[in-house]
Structure formats: C-alpha cells, structure tokens
C-alpha cells in the first residue's frame, strides 16, 4: 500500500483537503485536493486529481466534520484503493505564544489549544473539530498541528505589543499575525529560487477573501498587517480591516448592539461587501460598473499602498514585493493599481508582464522586484507532517 499524508483545513462550514503520496525519500507529491463545502446546508464534495480527474457530487446528509471526513474517505477508497494515510497535518489558526512551529497532537496540546479559543472564537473551535474528527477516523495515525500564527513569533516587541497596561500583554493580548502558512511557503520558495531576495527585505501581500501583508527579512517575519485577530489591517471580502476601537464603543453604547451582533457585522457584513453593497468577490466588483464597486476597490487598493509603505518602513527599505493569494495571483488590474501608486518607493511595474501573468512583473530597471508566486499552504502542512514521520 502506498504511504500518503493528508492536509486538512477545517472551517465553520467547510473542510478543505489535500492528499499527497510520499515519493523519492518521503517527498510529498499531490494526488488529490478539494473541499467539502456548505456543511449543514447543501453540502457538496469538489475535488480534482493531479491527473486532471474531477469530482463534483452532492452529499445529502453531511453536517459535521466527522461526516465530511468519512465522505472524503469514501471518495479516496473509490479512486485510490491502495491508500494508506500515515500522517495528517492540520491548519490551526491560533497557536498563541506557546507554539512557534508545528507540533504532534496529544491530549496536552488539545487542552492548550482550547485555551486559545477566546483569541479566535470564530476559527479555533473548527480547527479543533477537524483534529478530533481526523483522530476518530484514523485512530493511531500521527496528527500534526500547523499554526497560522507561528511564522510571526519572530516579531520584535514593538511589533508584538499594544499600548495597553502590561497585564494584557502578559495575558496574551498581542499582535499575532495570521496567514503564516502562506508566508512560510512563499519565503521558502524564494530561498530556493531567489536566495538574494530571500536574504533581503521582502513584503508579501496575501490577497484573497482573507487578506494581509507581511514584512520579511532574511526569511523571518518582522511585522504584519493583522494583529490580535484576523479582523485587523486590510479590508477583506467581508471583514472590516483596520478600525478605530472607538467605532466598537459607538456600536455598543449608541446603537445598543450586543457583542455577537458586532462580531457578525465586523466579520461577515463589512469589507468589500459592506462598502460595495454588491459582493465580497473581487471578480464581481471589477466587472461591475457602479460607483459603489469602484469606491470599494479604491479603498482596498489605498489600504494596500498604505500598509506597503508602513511595512517598508519597518524593514528600513524594500527589495521585493510578492503578490499571492486568489486576488494577488489572478487580479492583474489590482496589482497594477497598487504598483502604479508606489513608484516613489522604487516599484516600477511592466504592464505587459503583469497582463501576461508571469512570475516577474517589474521592469528591468525597477529597484524593487515585483513577483507573483502562487501560495500552497497545504504543501507546508504536508511537509510538516512528513517531518514527524522522520
């Protein structure tokens, strides 16, 4: 039977997966990837193999992560009868101040991760649910937790703290940063393909439905646009991004909103959706011809430029800008709008290269290299799981 590792990313209403066969001295080679979406509503399994085979099927009774994993197993046994899963890696949103690298999951780790639920109440419970479901489906199999916050634990203190009484810092109220698995992948990609840039000062823009930016020097995180929660920094599909805390006080005191109502507003009704009143999807907004859509895009681009300047200051200069994530990799118009406003910092985009969607987007004379690199968080998870086998 062929050894495989499984990478899982459990969300509130979805389960993303990627299955890798171990080849050539345990190198992960992707065989299947996909997701089970709309858990508890109208669940559907969508998957594609490395060879181009696609699966798209409804799942009438799938409501939980346990049932989702069993649905994935049924598909795997149908197409991969020789499968043997020897390790499972999990994306876990929050590792707190405790975990700065992947860890093998046991009862102590589970208890520790439960303690971080107050820091990420809309994400952490689902990460734990995915781990428990996988442990039940694959008893005795190595389970490895990989943390979105871990990459950012190298932040200097000034980028790790808030100007609050020290007791809050001691309790864990800090700037954690997120999307760390994506930044880890991009940094390692640069180390292999462009070591000179890897050793330099790089700003990585992970632009998707969730969006953030990270300043990296020599492969180590220096600063991030996201802070204590995944709400901070850039505006996102439905999340507000940077917000004066006085606005939250206003909602509480003047509008009489509850904490739950405010969370619903800031996480699910704001961002591009709230600004445009149309959609959270950048593709829809770019295609729309309404003042609201244009204003939402303008604000999105403006915040990226503003954060790019701030992160460059944190690095004391910039040698490369890397776009990644669904919007960063595919929306040439957004990349151009960002870069055309940053010539003063040494960023000069080649519009033809940008339109062609290649890797290098800068002119030959640009002081700052502009790159597009597709991210692969699942590969980071799979490699971490393999390390625990070795």
């Amino acid at each position: 039977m062929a050894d495989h590792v499984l990478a899982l990313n459990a969300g509130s209403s979805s389960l993303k997966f990627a299955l890798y066969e171990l080849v050539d001295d345990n190198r992960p080679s992707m065989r299947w990837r996909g997701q089970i979406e709309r858990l508890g509503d109208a669940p559907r399994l969508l998957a594609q193999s490395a060879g181009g085979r696609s699966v798209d099927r409804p799942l009438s009774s799938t409501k939980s992560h346990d049932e989702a994993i069993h649905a994935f197993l049924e598909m795997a046994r149908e197409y991969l009868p020789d499968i043997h899963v020897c390790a499972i890696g999990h994306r876990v949103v929050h590792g707190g101040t405790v975990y700065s690298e992947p860890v093998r999951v046991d009862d102590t780790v589970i208890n520790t991760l439960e303690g971080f639920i107050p820091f990420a109440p809309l994400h952490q419970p689902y990460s734990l649910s995915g781990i428990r479901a996988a442990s039940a489906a694959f008893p005795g199999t190595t389970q490895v937790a990989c943390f979105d916050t871990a990459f950012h634990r190298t932040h200097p203190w000034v980028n790790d703290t808030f100007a609050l009484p020290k007791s809050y810092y001691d309790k864990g109220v800090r700037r954690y940063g997120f999307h760390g698995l994506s930044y880890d992948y991009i940094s390692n990609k640069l180390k292999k393909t462009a070591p000179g840039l890897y050793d330099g000062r790089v700003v990585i823009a992970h632009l998707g439905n969730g969006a953030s930016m990270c300043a990296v020097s020599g492969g180590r995180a220096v600063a991030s646009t996201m802070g204590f929660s995944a709400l901070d920094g850039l505006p996102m599909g439905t999340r507000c991004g940077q917000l004066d805390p006085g606005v939250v006080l206003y909602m509480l005191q003047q509008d009489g909103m509850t904490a739950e109502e405010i969370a619903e507003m800031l996480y699910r009704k704001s961002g591009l959706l709230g600004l445009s009143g149309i959609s959270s999807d950048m593709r829809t907004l770019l295609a729309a011809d309404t003042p609201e859509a244009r204003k939402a895009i303008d604000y999105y681009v403006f915040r990226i430029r503003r954060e790019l300047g701030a992160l460059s200051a944190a690095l004391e200069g910039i040698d490369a800008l890397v776009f990644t994530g669904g919007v960063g990799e595919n929306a040439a118009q957004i990349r151009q709008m960002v870069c055309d406003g940053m010539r003063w910092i040494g960023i000069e985009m080649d519009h033809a290269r940008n339109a062609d969607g290649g890797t290098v987007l800068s002119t030959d004379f640009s002081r700052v290299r502009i790159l597009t690199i597709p991210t692969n968080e699942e590969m980071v998870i799979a490699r971490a799981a393999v390390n625990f086998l070795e």
Side-chain angles (χ1 to χ4, degrees):
M1 299 180 73
D3 285 339
H4 289 70
V5 295
L6 178 61
L8 294 178
N9 179 358
S12 59
S13 61
S14 68
L15 179 73
K16 297 179 181 178
F17 58 83
L19 185 66
Y20 297 83
E21 183 178 2
L22 300 186
V23 299
D24 301 335
D25 298 326
N26 280 353
R27 176 177 60 84
S29 176
M30 199 276 287
R31 297 195 68 180
W32 282 88
R33 70 185 306 164
Q35 63 179 329
I36 297 172
E37 60 183 19
R38 301 183 68 179
L39 290 177
D41 179 15
R44 197 167 198 90
L45 189 153
L46 305 168
Q48 187 168 24
S49 74
R53 175 177 287 175
S54 296
V55 174
D56 181 350
R57 62 178 62 157
L59 303 171
S60 58
S61 62
T62 304
K63 298 179 180 178
S64 66
H65 291 101
D66 298 83
E67 292 169 330
I69 287 180
H70 284 293
F72 159 76
L73 280 175
E74 289 180 7
M75 185 210 76
R77 294 189 183 108
E78 180 180 346
Y79 293 99
L80 299 169
D82 62 338
I83 186 176
H84 172 244
V85 176
C86 54
I88 302 174
H90 300 267
R91 175 187 177 236
V92 178
V93 169
H94 221 296
T97 61
V98 178
Y99 300 115
S100 58
E101 58 186 20
V103 62
R104 187 192 300 269
V105 176
D106 57 22
D107 290 342
T108 299
V109 170
I110 290 289
N111 290 335
T112 302
L113 296 181
E114 286 178 339
F116 301 147
I117 289 177
F119 296 157
L122 300 185
H123 295 88
Q124 195 79 349
Y126 303 110
S127 299
L128 290 166
S129 178
I131 292 174
R132 293 190 179 99
S135 299
F138 298 90
T141 301
T142 298
Q143 310 279 336
V144 178
C146 304
F147 304 98
D148 254 345
T149 52
F151 186 77
H152 302 284
R153 298 320 305 143
T154 56
H155 285 183
W157 180 80
V158 291
N159 285 330
D160 195 42
T161 191
F162 295 102
L164 294 170
K166 183 176 178 295
S167 59
Y168 283 94
Y169 185 83
D170 294 339
K171 288 191 291 187
V173 178
R174 308 182 184 189
R175 297 183 188 274
Y176 287 101
F178 298 89
H179 293 133
L181 298 175
S182 177
Y183 296 130
D184 189 350
Y185 179 84
I186 298 299
S187 293
N188 279 290
K189 191 75 172 178
L190 287 176
K191 187 175 184 179
K192 294 177 181 178
T193 61
L197 293 180
Y198 171 84
D199 290 334
R201 301 160 298 182
V202 181
V203 174
I204 306 171
H206 177 104
L207 308 179
N209 189 52
S212 68
M213 298 169 69
C214 182
V216 183
S217 177
R220 293 169 62 86
V222 173
S224 171
T225 59
M226 279 186 173
F228 177 70
S229 74
L231 282 173
D232 202 6
L234 303 177
M236 293 162 251
T238 62
R239 285 177 253 169
C240 60
Q242 184 273 332
L243 186 72
D244 184 334
V247 175
V248 177
L249 294 177
Y250 179 90
M251 291 176 174
L252 282 168
Q253 297 169 347
Q254 302 303 317
D255 289 347
M257 296 173 68
T258 65
E260 292 75 16
E261 290 170 336
I262 293 174
E264 178 72 12
M265 172 72 74
L266 301 185
Y267 274 98
R268 297 190 173 96
K269 296 181 179 179
S270 299
L272 294 175
L273 175 62
L275 286 169
S276 70
I278 298 173
S279 175
S280 62
D281 193 309
M282 181 59 73
R283 293 167 295 186
T284 302
L285 297 181
L286 287 170
D289 187 22
T290 68
E292 292 78 16
R294 289 193 293 273
K295 286 180 178 179
I297 293 171
D298 287 345
Y299 180 74
Y300 183 79
V301 169
F302 168 76
R303 292 301 312 191
I304 294 172
R305 289 179 187 164
R306 179 167 173 159
E307 296 293 351
L308 177 54
L311 294 175
S312 298
L315 289 168
E316 299 183 7
I318 178 174
D319 300 306
L321 168 63
V322 180
F323 289 99
T324 194
V327 176
E329 295 167 25
N330 299 298
Q333 184 176 340
I334 297 298
R335 296 194 300 258
Q336 180 177 328
M337 291 174 70
V338 170
C339 292
D340 283 354
M342 299 300 295
R343 291 189 182 95
W344 61 274
I345 207 171
I347 291 174
E348 295 183 25
M349 170 173 277
D350 186 311
H351 292 170
R353 290 175 178 174
N354 181 50
D356 289 341
T359 299
V360 179
L361 310 180
S362 46
T363 68
D364 294 338
F365 305 101
S366 178
R367 186 174 60 78
V368 177
R369 293 285 296 277
I370 311 169
L371 306 172
T372 299
I373 302 177
T375 193
N376 192 337
E377 295 158 295
E378 292 82 8
M379 178 59 79
V380 175
I381 296 170
R383 288 171 177 165
V386 169
N387 288 339
F388 280 86
L389 294 177
E390 296 173 346

